[in-house]
Every structure is written in structure tokens, then in C-alpha cells.
Amino acid sequence: MDTLTNLRTFLKVAESGGFSAAGRELGVATSVVTKRVDQLESSTQAQLFVRTTRTVTLTDAGQNWLNRVKLLLADADDVMSALTDSQEGLQGPLRVKMPTTLTILYLSDIVARFQKKHPKISLEIVLTDRPVNPAVEGFDVALGAFGTSYKDVTDFALCPLRRYLCASPEYLASAPELNHPKDLQNHTTLSFQPTGNNWAFEGKEGPVQVTVAPSINANEAHLLYTCALAGNGIAILPEYLAIPAFRDGTLVNVLKQYAPLDYAIKAQVPAARVLVRRITSFISFLQESFRPEPPWLRERSLSDEQLSDGDPSDR
């Protein structure tokens, strides 16, 4: 039994959603695909797929196995590609998790330039805004701005990420008084689901927290940005959305003396994979792309006084 071939077949069935589709992509008969999966199920003593006349779906065991198989096959590909990288350039698969809005606005250009530089690397980009442990979920790299760290995962810093409390002039014109974060409980709020409804600020007197009851709770920042622009309420937005809106006056930085806690954008890599050349090259490319500052700040026209009260370093 060729275990690696059978594992690749399992992965292809899971990705394509069927034995026939997997066979077409692999260039083999459906019966060959079935035989390979049967061999895996026999050797593992576990059913990997639920098969009906119309659908093929992963069992719980198959789902739990999926990400481990991806990492195992990636490691096998690394061993083989290491022999040819020096002569033919970097090659092999690279599976990356990226945040949705940031990728659409800025990171997609970085990905495009990296792909052009390394055309033999096969990129799989997954957009999601929740925290992801790359070692558990089968990613080579996970990008995000959450403070979460994981065992056996190495963090690579890219840049700080400031956040701002934002509202439109239209909303503020008829809104209740707002002098302190506690006043937000009397306002319509728009909340980013992954960070929760307990909003934390840093003021001159120290940290302040307030629990809001949002009218919109979304897991994607651009939706909150759009609702804030429409005058639907107050949102905490990352600087790559807030700063352009401050420049054109469509949003206002409110409660400047109480800054939402800053985050940091970082790339996380399973510790066992930090020396894989295509991964280290991608990390280096990301870091260079964020120097000397991230792309949304390079044409900055706002002064620090427009964004915050006092010296920005006090934040």
C-alpha cells in the first residue's frame, strides 16, 4: 500500500466532494479512488467518509484527520522540493489564513507580488477573521491582529495596529452626550464579534472598560465600517479603515482622550515548519512589505493632533 498516495487521494476526495470528481482531478478511475480510500479506512480502522448515492461527506473521524493529513503531506512535499529548490526556485504548497478586509484592501497586492516572484509556489489563501491556531487547523501561516499565542507556534511581528472609536458626523449631530466610555451605554454601538462586546480603553486615569449592547454584531470589519458611514452608530475600527475616513471627513474620531487598546498584526507559523524555505521566504516578504510602515500609512496626511490628543506616544 502506497500510504502517501492514499493520503493524497483522501485529501482530494475531501476537497472535491466526491470520488468521481477526485478521480478526474487525479487522472485515475473512480474505482482506483475507492480502493485507495478503502485501504486507508482498513488500516486506520475508521470510517472516513459517509457515502450516499448523491453526496460524499467527511465523518467526524475524517474531519479530525483532515488538517493533520494536510500538514503531513506538506512535510512530505518539503522533503522532495528541498532537492530541487536550489536549481528551480521555491516550489510546493503554501496554505495561509488571512483577515478578510485587510487582505482585500492591502494584503492581496502583497500576495500577488509574492506569487509573481515565486510562480512555482501553490498558494491556498483562506479569509477568516477569527483567531486560528495554524498547528491545529493545518495552516503554514496564520495572519491576524489578535493577542492570542499558542504552544508550538512561533509569532513573527509585522506592525502595530491602532484602533479608533468612530462615528459619522450625521450620527453625532443627534446623538446623546459622549464624554466618557461609560456614556456608550446610551449610544447605538456596532461591535466586532471576534473581540466581543466588552470594549477596553486607555485614558489618562488608566484603563476603562464598558460593556455595550450592540445593534449590530458582525465578524467582518468592513460591514461595521459601512454601517458607521451610514450613521447607524459608533464602532471601534482598525486604522486601515478609520484613517482614510478621517481624511475625507466621513467619520470622526470620538472620545480622543480614551483610546481603544492597540493591537499588533503578526504572522504565526507552526514551530515545526519555521525552517521551511518557502514559509520563511513568505514571512520575510511580508515583513519587508510592512517596512518602514504599513501601506495604509505611507500617504498619511493627517497630523497626530487630528487623530489623538497629545503626544501619540502617550497612548
Side-chain angles (χ1 to χ4, degrees):
M1 180 177 71
D2 185 341
T3 302
L4 281 180
T5 298
N6 291 351
L7 289 173
R8 293 186 194 281
T9 303
F10 160 79
L11 183 59
K12 188 62 67 176
V13 172
E15 291 175 340
S16 66
F19 284 63
S20 297
R24 287 192 295 271
E25 293 188 34
L26 293 169
V28 299
T30 303
S31 59
V32 174
V33 174
T34 302
K35 180 180 179 182
R36 292 174 181 174
V37 172
D38 286 343
Q39 287 177 338
L40 275 181
E41 291 181 329
S42 176
S43 64
T44 59
Q45 296 295 299
Q47 184 179 353
L48 301 175
F49 294 101
V50 176
R51 315 173 205 186
T52 69
T53 55
R54 294 188 176 184
T55 62
V56 174
T57 57
L58 285 164
T59 62
D60 288 344
Q63 187 65 55
N64 291 335
W65 213 33
L66 182 61
N67 288 326
R68 293 185 180 184
V69 169
K70 287 181 179 180
L71 288 176
L72 177 63
L73 291 176
D75 286 339
D77 290 336
D78 292 340
V79 173
M80 299 303 296
S81 63
L83 301 175
T84 56
D85 277 349
S86 57
Q87 291 108 2
E88 300 182 15
L90 296 176
Q91 55 187 294
L94 188 60
R95 189 168 188 254
V96 184
K97 173 266 179 187
M98 290 183 165
T100 307
T101 302
L102 181 60
T103 301
I104 292 170
L105 293 178
Y106 295 103
L107 298 183
S108 56
D109 176 67
I110 295 174
V111 170
R113 289 188 286 110
F114 179 80
Q115 184 187 37
K116 193 165 188 178
K117 184 176 181 181
H118 302 288
K120 293 185 179 181
I121 291 180
S122 174
L123 285 162
E124 179 187 352
I125 308 296
V126 178
L127 301 186
T128 182
D129 291 306
R130 63 179 176 84
V132 165
N133 182 339
V136 171
E137 300 197 36
F139 287 96
D140 296 302
V141 183
L143 271 69
F146 299 101
T148 312
S149 293
Y150 304 99
K151 181 182 178 182
D152 298 326
V153 172
T154 302
D155 293 356
F156 295 88
L158 296 179
C159 72
L161 180 67
R162 295 176 73 174
R163 301 186 303 152
Y164 297 94
L165 193 65
C166 306
S168 70
E170 174 192 356
Y171 172 83
L172 294 173
S174 58
E177 189 174 359
L178 183 58
N179 297 312
H180 189 275
K182 297 293 184 185
D183 295 333
L184 288 167
Q185 294 176 330
N186 300 320
H187 282 257
T188 304
T189 51
L190 316 169
S191 188
F192 185 52
Q193 192 177 59
T195 56
N197 298 332
N198 189 21
W199 291 6
F201 301 86
E202 186 66 39
K204 292 182 179 179
E205 72 274 24
V208 180
Q209 292 191 352
V210 59
T211 300
V212 299
S215 64
I216 296 179
N217 200 341
N219 67 350
E220 197 277 316
H222 199 275
L223 173 63
L224 302 178
Y225 165 77
T226 302
C227 291
L229 286 179
N232 292 2
I234 299 178
I236 295 178
L237 296 176
E239 62 184 4
Y240 53 83
L241 288 174
I243 287 178
F246 294 159
R247 287 177 182 147
D248 61 26
T250 52
L251 289 178
V252 176
N253 182 22
V254 298
L255 280 182
K256 295 178 184 178
Q257 67 273 33
Y258 295 97
L261 296 185
D262 292 342
Y263 284 2
I265 298 176
K266 61 183 178 181
Q268 298 180 296
V269 178
R273 300 184 61 72
V274 293
L275 296 181
V276 177
R277 286 187 60 210
R278 62 180 176 276
I279 296 176
T280 58
S281 294
F282 184 65
I283 296 297
S284 296
F285 195 88
L286 285 172
Q287 291 174 325
E288 286 298 320
S289 298
F290 277 80
R291 294 185 183 130
E293 59 185 1
W296 55 88
L297 294 181
R298 288 177 192 157
E299 296 180 359
R300 176 173 48 201
S301 61
L302 282 179
S303 67
D304 289 325
E305 288 75 16
Q306 288 175 284
L307 297 179
S308 62
D309 287 346
D311 188 335
S313 64
D314 291 341
R315 295 184 50 168

